Amino acid sequence: AAGVIQSPRHLIKEKRETATLKCYPIPRHDTVYWYQQGPGQDPQFLISFYEKMQSDKGSIPDRFSAQQFSDYHSELNMSSLELGDSALYFCASSHSYRTDDTEAFFGQGTRLTVV
Amino acid sequence: GESVGLHLPTLSVQEGDNSIINCAYSNSASDYFIWYKQESGKGPQFIIDIRSNMDKRQGQRVTVLLNKTVKHLSLQIAATQPGDSAVYFCAENISGGSNYKLTFGKGTLLTVNP
């Protein structure tokens, strides 16, 4: 079965550079969620989109932005990268917003290393 | 035990034993809870969920117990297997927003010894 696809799997950037992470949800899923997981930490919710509109916002820095496109894939854009941005970034997708019993599936994540 | 900095609480069990992983959640308004399993280098994998109108839910080899009075959640794994070794997270959510705008608890590292 198709799963959530994230690209790239690994990314190394220098401080102050920009990075773009991509997420391709499971077919027919209309909602995507982004999470950041630092080393040894629990995942922290960043932002979510439903039908191409931002639906919720968490602890996402102003240097980051995200959007969801017409094909439902999403991109997380990160600018002025800092060493503290080094983390695993997960995307999850689900079908329908505010609907019971809609399990969200996580991708394998993108490991971003800022040097 | 308590986690400090980057150190996760750990639970080490023998293969075949039952495991109990505990979680204290923070928001009394949370009404949806999920347990996730995360293996090294992989994304969180859904195990089982429970809504606040229930206090127990069973799956295959797993049971989740919810005690709203003390804001406590537990995951019981029966006949633990080496493949169960992973970090386990509980997550909470408040209805009315995105179903998966989750607040994750601190993970617990489960190690199953053969």
Side-chain angles (χ1 to χ4, degrees):
Chain A
V4 178
I5 305 297
Q6 290 187 245
S7 69
R9 290 294 310 278
H10 302 275
L11 188 59
I12 300 175
K13 291 284 185 178
E14 295 187 354
K15 284 191 301 184
R16 293 179 290 278
E17 284 192 316
T18 62
T20 297
L21 279 53
K22 297 184 179 182
C23 169
Y24 297 88
I26 291 172
R28 293 183 296 281
H29 279 191
D30 50 21
T31 309
V32 294
Y33 311 80
W34 285 97
Y35 285 82
Q36 177 192 56
Q37 186 176 27
Q41 302 296 312
D42 51 286
Q44 296 288 318
F45 173 77
L46 292 178
I47 196 166
S48 63
F49 291 87
Y50 167 67
E51 284 289 347
K52 293 151 280 184
M53 299 290 289
Q54 180 182 308
S55 53
D56 267 302
K57 194 172 183 179
S59 52
I60 184 169
D62 292 340
R63 298 177 290 108
F64 295 4
S65 64
Q67 56 182 326
Q68 185 180 30
F69 295 85
S70 58
D71 63 352
Y72 295 104
H73 95 272
S74 179
E75 295 183 4
L76 178 65
N77 300 292
M78 311 160 71
S79 62
S80 303
L81 286 168
E82 302 172 356
L83 295 178
D85 296 327
S86 296
L88 270 170
Y89 290 83
F90 290 107
C91 172
S93 76
S94 70
H95 176 62
S96 296
Y97 175 74
R98 296 187 181 181
T99 301
D100 285 354
D101 300 320
T102 54
E103 179 182 339
F105 295 86
F106 281 81
Q108 297 281 52
T110 293
R111 180 174 294 281
L112 172 67
T113 303
V114 182
V115 297
Chain B
E2 288 292 318
S3 61
V4 178
L6 300 181
H7 300 288
L8 293 171
T10 58
L11 175 64
S12 183
V13 301
Q14 291 298 122
E15 181 178 0
D17 286 352
N18 297 332
S19 303
I20 300 176
I21 301 171
N22 296 301
C23 174
Y25 64 93
S26 56
N27 193 334
S28 56
S30 294
D31 56 4
Y32 180 51
F33 306 89
I34 309 172
W35 278 101
Y36 283 98
K37 172 186 180 182
Q38 187 176 25
E39 296 173 281
S40 181
K42 296 185 177 181
Q45 179 185 356
F46 176 96
I47 299 174
I48 192 168
D49 61 357
I50 189 169
R51 295 202 175 269
S52 59
N53 60 351
M54 303 174 69
D55 53 21
K56 180 179 180 179
R57 192 171 186 208
Q58 288 185 290
Q60 186 178 10
R61 282 203 307 120
V62 295
T63 301
V64 55
L65 299 176
L66 173 63
N67 185 330
K68 295 181 287 294
T69 303
V70 295
K71 293 190 287 187
H72 183 268
L73 202 64
S74 68
L75 176 71
Q76 300 177 1
I77 305 175
T80 315
Q81 303 168 1
D84 295 327
S85 295
V87 176
Y88 289 80
F89 291 97
C90 67
E92 60 184 294
N93 173 262
I94 301 172
S95 294
S98 300
N99 275 346
Y100 287 88
K101 180 188 177 183
L102 299 168
T103 300
F104 282 79
K106 298 301 179 196
T108 295
L109 174 62
L110 174 65
T111 302
V112 182
N113 303 307

Coordinates of all heavy atoms in Angstrom, one line a residue, chain A residues 9 33 35 37 39-43 45 48 55-58 88 90 94 96-104 106-108 111, chain B residues 5-8 32 36 38 41-47 49 51 57 89 95-107:
Chain A
R9 N 15.4 12.3 2.0 CA 15.4 11.5 3.3 C 16.5 12.2 4.2 O 16.3 12.2 5.4 CB 15.8 10.1 3.1 CG 14.7 9.3 2.4 CD 13.4 9.1 3.4 NE 13.8 8.7 4.7 CZ 14.0 7.4 5.1 NH1 13.9 6.5 4.2 NH2 14.3 7.1 6.3
Y33 N 0.2 17.1 8.0 CA 0.7 17.6 9.3 C 2.2 17.6 9.3 O 2.8 16.6 8.8 CB 0.2 16.8 10.5 CG -1.3 16.5 10.5 CD1 -1.8 15.5 9.7 CD2 -2.2 17.3 11.3 CE1 -3.2 15.2 9.7 CE2 -3.5 17.0 11.3 CZ -4.0 16.0 10.5 OH -5.4 15.7 10.5
Y35 N 5.7 17.8 11.7 CA 6.2 17.7 13.0 C 7.7 17.8 13.0 O 8.4 17.3 12.0 CB 5.9 16.3 13.7 CG 4.4 16.2 14.1 CD1 3.4 15.9 13.2 CD2 4.1 16.5 15.5 CE1 2.1 15.8 13.7 CE2 2.8 16.4 15.9 CZ 1.8 16.1 15.0 OH 0.5 16.0 15.4
Q37 N 11.2 16.7 15.2 CA 11.6 15.9 16.4 C 13.1 16.1 16.5 O 13.9 15.6 15.7 CB 11.3 14.4 16.1 CG 11.6 13.5 17.3 CD 11.2 12.1 17.1 OE1 11.1 11.6 16.0 NE2 10.9 11.4 18.2
P39 N 16.8 15.5 18.5 CA 17.5 14.3 19.0 C 17.0 13.9 20.4 O 17.1 14.7 21.4 CB 19.0 14.7 19.0 CG 19.1 15.8 18.1 CD 17.8 16.6 18.2
G40 N 16.5 12.7 20.6 CA 16.0 12.2 21.9 C 14.7 12.9 22.4 O 14.4 12.8 23.6
Q41 N 14.1 13.7 21.5 CA 12.9 14.5 21.9 C 11.6 13.9 21.4 O 11.7 13.0 20.5 CB 13.0 15.9 21.5 CG 14.3 16.6 22.0 CD 14.3 16.7 23.5 OE1 13.3 17.1 24.1 NE2 15.4 16.4 24.1
D42 N 10.5 14.3 21.9 CA 9.2 13.9 21.3 C 8.9 14.8 20.1 O 9.4 15.9 20.1 CB 8.1 13.9 22.4 CG 8.1 15.3 23.1 OD1 9.0 15.5 23.9 OD2 7.2 16.1 22.8
P43 N 8.1 14.3 19.2 CA 7.7 15.1 18.0 C 6.9 16.4 18.5 O 6.1 16.3 19.4 CB 6.9 14.2 17.2 CG 7.3 12.8 17.6 CD 7.6 12.9 19.1
F45 N 4.4 19.4 17.1 CA 3.6 19.8 16.0 C 4.0 21.2 15.5 O 4.2 22.2 16.3 CB 2.1 19.9 16.5 CG 1.2 20.4 15.5 CD1 0.7 19.7 14.4 CD2 0.7 21.7 15.6 CE1 -0.1 20.2 13.5 CE2 -0.2 22.2 14.7 CZ -0.6 21.5 13.6
S48 N -0.4 22.4 10.1 CA -1.2 21.4 9.3 C -2.0 22.1 8.3 O -2.3 23.3 8.4 CB -2.2 20.6 10.2 OG -3.1 21.4 10.9
S55 N -4.8 24.8 8.6 CA -5.8 24.5 9.5 C -5.4 24.7 10.9 O -6.3 25.0 11.8 CB -6.3 23.1 9.3 OG -5.2 22.1 9.3
D56 N -4.2 24.5 11.3 CA -3.7 24.7 12.6 C -2.2 25.0 12.6 O -1.5 24.7 11.7 CB -3.9 23.4 13.5 CG -5.2 23.4 14.2 OD1 -5.4 24.3 15.0 OD2 -6.0 22.4 14.0
K57 N -1.8 25.8 13.6 CA -0.4 26.2 13.7 C 0.1 25.9 15.1 O -0.6 26.1 16.1 CB -0.3 27.7 13.4 CG 1.0 28.2 13.1 CD 1.0 29.6 12.6 CE 2.3 30.2 12.3 NZ 2.3 31.6 11.8
G58 N 1.3 25.3 15.1 CA 1.9 25.0 16.4 C 3.1 25.9 16.6 O 3.2 27.1 16.3
L88 N 14.7 15.7 12.9 CA 13.9 14.9 12.0 C 12.6 15.6 11.8 O 12.0 16.1 12.7 CB 13.6 13.5 12.6 CG 14.6 12.4 12.4 CD1 14.2 11.2 13.2 CD2 14.6 12.0 10.9
F90 N 8.9 15.2 10.3 CA 7.9 14.2 9.8 C 6.7 14.9 9.3 O 6.3 15.9 9.7 CB 7.5 13.3 11.0 CG 8.5 12.4 11.5 CD1 9.2 12.6 12.7 CD2 8.9 11.3 10.8 CE1 10.1 11.8 13.2 CE2 9.9 10.4 11.2 CZ 10.5 10.6 12.4
S94 N -3.8 12.4 6.6 CA -5.0 11.7 7.0 C -6.1 12.2 6.1 O -6.0 13.1 5.3 CB -5.4 12.0 8.5 OG -5.9 13.3 8.6
S96 N -9.7 13.7 5.7 CA -10.8 14.5 6.3 C -10.4 15.1 7.6 O -10.0 14.4 8.5 CB -12.1 13.7 6.4 OG -12.6 13.4 5.1
Y97 N -10.7 16.3 7.7 CA -10.5 17.1 8.9 C -11.7 17.0 9.8 O -12.8 16.9 9.4 CB -10.3 18.5 8.4 CG -10.2 19.6 9.4 CD1 -9.0 19.8 10.1 CD2 -11.2 20.6 9.5 CE1 -8.8 20.9 11.0 CE2 -11.0 21.6 10.4 CZ -9.9 21.8 11.1 OH -9.7 22.8 12.0
R98 N -11.4 16.9 11.1 CA -12.5 16.9 12.1 C -13.5 15.7 11.9 O -14.7 15.8 12.1 CB -13.3 18.2 12.1 CG -12.5 19.4 12.5 CD -13.4 20.6 12.7 NE -12.7 21.8 13.1 CZ -13.2 22.9 13.3 NH1 -14.5 23.1 13.2 NH2 -12.4 24.0 13.7
T99 N -12.9 14.6 11.5 CA -13.7 13.4 11.3 C -13.2 12.3 12.3 O -12.0 12.1 12.3 CB -13.7 12.9 9.9 OG1 -14.2 14.0 9.0 CG2 -14.5 11.7 9.7
D100 N -14.1 11.7 12.9 CA -13.7 10.6 13.8 C -13.0 9.4 13.1 O -13.3 9.2 12.0 CB -14.9 10.1 14.6 CG -15.3 11.1 15.7 OD1 -14.6 12.0 15.9 OD2 -16.3 10.8 16.3
D101 N -12.2 8.8 13.8 CA -11.6 7.5 13.3 C -10.9 7.6 12.0 O -11.0 6.8 11.1 CB -12.7 6.4 13.2 CG -13.3 6.2 14.6 OD1 -12.6 6.1 15.6 OD2 -14.6 6.0 14.6
T102 N -10.2 8.7 11.8 CA -9.4 8.8 10.6 C -7.9 8.8 11.1 O -7.4 9.8 11.5 CB -9.6 10.2 9.9 OG1 -9.5 11.2 10.8 CG2 -11.0 10.1 9.3
E103 N -7.3 7.6 10.9 CA -5.9 7.5 11.4 C -5.0 8.3 10.5 O -5.2 8.4 9.3 CB -5.5 6.0 11.3 CG -4.1 5.7 11.8 CD -3.8 4.2 11.6 OE1 -4.7 3.4 11.6 OE2 -2.6 3.9 11.6
A104 N -4.0 8.9 11.2 CA -3.0 9.6 10.4 C -1.7 8.7 10.3 O -1.4 8.0 11.2 CB -2.6 10.9 11.1
F106 N 2.3 8.4 9.3 CA 3.5 9.2 9.3 C 4.5 8.7 8.2 O 4.5 7.5 7.9 CB 4.3 9.2 10.6 CG 3.7 10.1 11.7 CD1 2.6 9.7 12.4 CD2 4.3 11.3 11.9 CE1 2.1 10.5 13.4 CE2 3.8 12.1 12.9 CZ 2.7 11.7 13.6
G107 N 5.2 9.7 7.6 CA 6.2 9.3 6.6 C 7.5 8.9 7.4 O 7.5 8.9 8.6
Q108 N 8.5 8.6 6.6 CA 9.8 8.1 7.2 C 10.6 9.3 7.7 O 11.6 9.1 8.5 CB 10.6 7.3 6.2 CG 9.9 6.1 5.8 CD 10.1 4.9 6.8 OE1 9.8 5.1 7.9 NE2 10.5 3.8 6.3
R111 N 15.8 13.8 7.6 CA 16.8 14.2 8.6 C 17.5 15.4 8.1 O 18.3 15.3 7.2 CB 17.7 13.1 9.0 CG 18.7 13.4 10.0 CD 19.6 12.2 10.4 NE 18.8 11.2 11.1 CZ 18.4 11.2 12.4 NH1 18.7 12.3 13.1 NH2 17.7 10.2 12.9
Chain B
G5 N 16.8 15.7 30.3 CA 17.5 16.1 29.1 C 17.2 15.1 28.0 O 16.0 14.9 27.7
L6 N 18.2 14.5 27.4 CA 18.0 13.6 26.3 C 17.8 12.2 26.7 O 17.6 11.3 25.9 CB 19.2 13.7 25.3 CG 19.5 15.0 24.8 CD1 20.7 15.0 23.9 CD2 18.4 15.6 24.0
H7 N 17.8 11.9 28.0 CA 17.6 10.5 28.4 C 16.1 10.1 28.5 O 15.4 10.8 29.2 CB 18.3 10.3 29.8 CG 19.8 10.6 29.8 ND1 20.7 9.8 29.2 CD2 20.5 11.7 30.2 CE1 21.9 10.3 29.3 NE2 21.8 11.5 29.9
L8 N 15.8 9.0 27.8 CA 14.4 8.6 27.8 C 14.2 7.6 29.0 O 15.1 6.9 29.3 CB 14.1 7.8 26.5 CG 14.1 8.7 25.2 CD1 14.0 7.7 24.0 CD2 12.9 9.6 25.3
Y32 N -8.8 12.8 23.1 CA -8.4 11.7 22.2 C -7.0 11.4 22.4 O -6.1 12.3 22.5 CB -8.7 12.2 20.7 CG -8.3 11.2 19.7 CD1 -8.8 9.9 19.7 CD2 -7.5 11.6 18.6 CE1 -8.5 9.0 18.7 CE2 -7.2 10.7 17.6 CZ -7.7 9.4 17.6 OH -7.4 8.5 16.6
Y36 N 1.9 5.6 20.0 CA 2.7 5.4 18.8 C 3.9 4.6 19.1 O 4.5 4.7 20.2 CB 3.1 6.7 18.2 CG 2.1 7.4 17.4 CD1 1.3 8.5 18.0 CD2 1.8 7.1 16.1 CE1 0.4 9.1 17.3 CE2 0.8 7.8 15.3 CZ 0.1 8.8 15.9 OH -0.9 9.4 15.2
Q38 N 7.8 4.0 17.7 CA 8.8 4.6 16.8 C 10.1 3.8 16.8 O 10.8 3.7 17.9 CB 9.1 6.0 17.1 CG 9.9 6.7 16.0 CD 10.1 8.2 16.3 OE1 10.0 8.7 17.4 NE2 10.4 8.9 15.2
G41 N 15.1 5.7 13.3 CA 15.1 6.2 11.9 C 13.8 6.1 11.2 O 13.8 6.4 10.0
K42 N 12.7 5.8 11.9 CA 11.5 5.7 11.2 C 10.4 6.6 11.8 O 10.6 7.1 12.9 CB 10.9 4.2 11.3 CG 11.8 3.2 10.6 CD 11.1 1.9 10.6 CE 11.9 0.8 9.8 NZ 11.3 -0.5 9.8
G43 N 9.4 6.8 11.1 CA 8.3 7.7 11.6 C 7.4 7.0 12.6 O 7.5 5.7 12.7
P44 N 6.7 7.7 13.4 CA 5.8 7.1 14.4 C 4.8 6.2 13.7 O 4.2 6.6 12.7 CB 5.2 8.3 15.1 CG 6.1 9.4 14.9 CD 6.7 9.2 13.6
Q45 N 4.5 5.0 14.3 CA 3.6 4.1 13.8 C 2.4 3.9 14.8 O 2.6 3.7 16.0 CB 4.3 2.7 13.6 CG 3.4 1.6 13.0 CD 4.1 0.3 13.0 OE1 5.3 0.2 13.2 NE2 3.3 -0.7 12.6
F46 N 1.2 4.2 14.3 CA 0.0 4.1 15.1 C -0.1 2.7 15.7 O 0.0 1.7 15.0 CB -1.2 4.4 14.2 CG -2.6 4.2 14.9 CD1 -3.2 5.3 15.4 CD2 -3.2 3.0 15.0 CE1 -4.4 5.2 16.0 CE2 -4.4 2.9 15.5 CZ -5.1 4.0 16.1
I47 N -0.4 2.6 17.0 CA -0.7 1.3 17.7 C -2.1 1.2 18.0 O -2.8 0.2 17.6 CB 0.2 1.2 19.0 CG1 1.7 1.3 18.6 CG2 -0.1 -0.1 19.6 CD1 2.5 1.3 19.9
D49 N -5.7 3.7 19.7 CA -6.2 5.0 20.2 C -7.4 4.8 21.1 O -7.9 3.7 21.2 CB -6.6 5.9 19.0 CG -7.7 5.3 18.2 OD1 -8.2 4.2 18.4 OD2 -8.1 6.0 17.2
R51 N -10.8 7.2 23.0 CA -11.4 8.5 23.3 C -11.8 8.6 24.7 O -11.9 7.6 25.4 CB -12.6 8.7 22.4 CG -12.2 8.7 20.9 CD -13.2 9.3 20.0 NE -12.7 9.5 18.6 CZ -12.0 10.5 18.2 NH1 -11.8 11.6 19.0 NH2 -11.6 10.5 17.0
R57 N -9.5 0.1 26.0 CA -9.7 -0.4 24.7 C -8.6 -1.4 24.4 O -7.5 -1.3 24.7 CB -9.6 0.8 23.7 CG -10.1 0.4 22.3 CD -10.2 1.6 21.4 NE -10.8 1.2 20.1 CZ -10.6 1.8 19.0 NH1 -9.8 2.8 18.9 NH2 -11.2 1.3 17.9
F89 N 5.5 6.4 22.3 CA 5.0 7.7 22.7 C 3.5 7.7 22.9 O 2.8 7.0 22.1 CB 5.2 8.7 21.6 CG 6.7 9.1 21.4 CD1 7.4 8.5 20.4 CD2 7.3 10.1 22.1 CE1 8.7 8.8 20.2 CE2 8.6 10.4 21.9 CZ 9.3 9.8 20.9
S95 N -10.5 17.7 20.7 CA -11.5 17.7 19.6 C -11.8 19.1 19.2 O -11.8 20.0 20.1 CB -12.7 16.9 19.9 OG -12.5 15.6 20.1
G96 N -12.2 19.3 18.0 CA -12.6 20.7 17.6 C -11.5 21.3 16.7 O -11.8 22.3 16.0
G97 N -10.4 20.7 16.7 CA -9.3 21.1 15.9 C -8.9 20.0 15.0 O -9.6 19.0 14.8
S98 N -7.8 20.1 14.4 CA -7.3 19.0 13.5 C -7.2 17.8 14.4 O -6.7 17.8 15.5 CB -5.9 19.4 13.0 OG -5.9 20.5 12.2
N99 N -7.6 16.6 13.8 CA -7.5 15.4 14.6 C -6.1 15.0 15.0 O -5.9 14.4 16.0 CB -8.1 14.3 13.7 CG -9.6 14.2 13.9 OD1 -10.2 14.8 14.8 ND2 -10.2 13.5 13.0
Y100 N -5.2 15.4 14.2 CA -3.8 15.0 14.5 C -2.9 16.2 14.8 O -1.7 16.1 14.6 CB -3.3 14.1 13.4 CG -3.9 12.8 13.5 CD1 -5.1 12.6 12.8 CD2 -3.4 11.8 14.3 CE1 -5.8 11.3 13.0 CE2 -4.1 10.6 14.4 CZ -5.3 10.3 13.7 OH -5.9 9.1 13.9
K101 N -3.4 17.3 15.4 CA -2.6 18.3 16.0 C -2.3 17.7 17.4 O -3.1 17.9 18.3 CB -3.3 19.6 16.1 CG -2.4 20.7 16.8 CD -3.2 21.9 17.0 CE -2.4 23.0 17.8 NZ -3.1 24.2 18.1
L102 N -1.3 16.9 17.5 CA -1.1 16.1 18.7 C 0.0 16.7 19.5 O 1.0 17.3 19.1 CB -0.6 14.7 18.3 CG -1.6 13.9 17.4 CD1 -0.9 12.7 16.8 CD2 -2.8 13.5 18.2
T103 N -0.2 16.6 20.8 CA 0.9 16.9 21.8 C 1.4 15.5 22.3 O 0.7 14.7 22.9 CB 0.3 17.7 23.0 OG1 -0.2 18.9 22.5 CG2 1.5 18.0 24.0
F104 N 2.7 15.3 22.0 CA 3.3 14.0 22.3 C 3.9 14.1 23.7 O 4.4 15.2 24.1 CB 4.5 13.7 21.3 CG 4.0 13.2 20.0 CD1 3.5 14.0 19.0 CD2 4.0 11.8 19.8 CE1 3.1 13.5 17.8 CE2 3.6 11.3 18.5 CZ 3.1 12.1 17.6
G105 N 3.8 13.0 24.4 CA 4.5 12.9 25.7 C 5.9 12.5 25.5 O 6.4 12.2 24.4
K106 N 6.7 12.4 26.6 CA 8.0 11.9 26.5 C 8.0 10.4 26.2 O 7.2 9.7 26.8 CB 8.8 12.1 27.8 CG 8.9 13.6 28.2 CD 9.7 14.4 27.1 CE 9.8 15.8 27.5 NZ 10.1 16.7 26.4
G107 N 8.8 10.0 25.3 CA 8.8 8.6 24.9 C 9.4 7.7 26.0 O 10.2 8.1 26.9

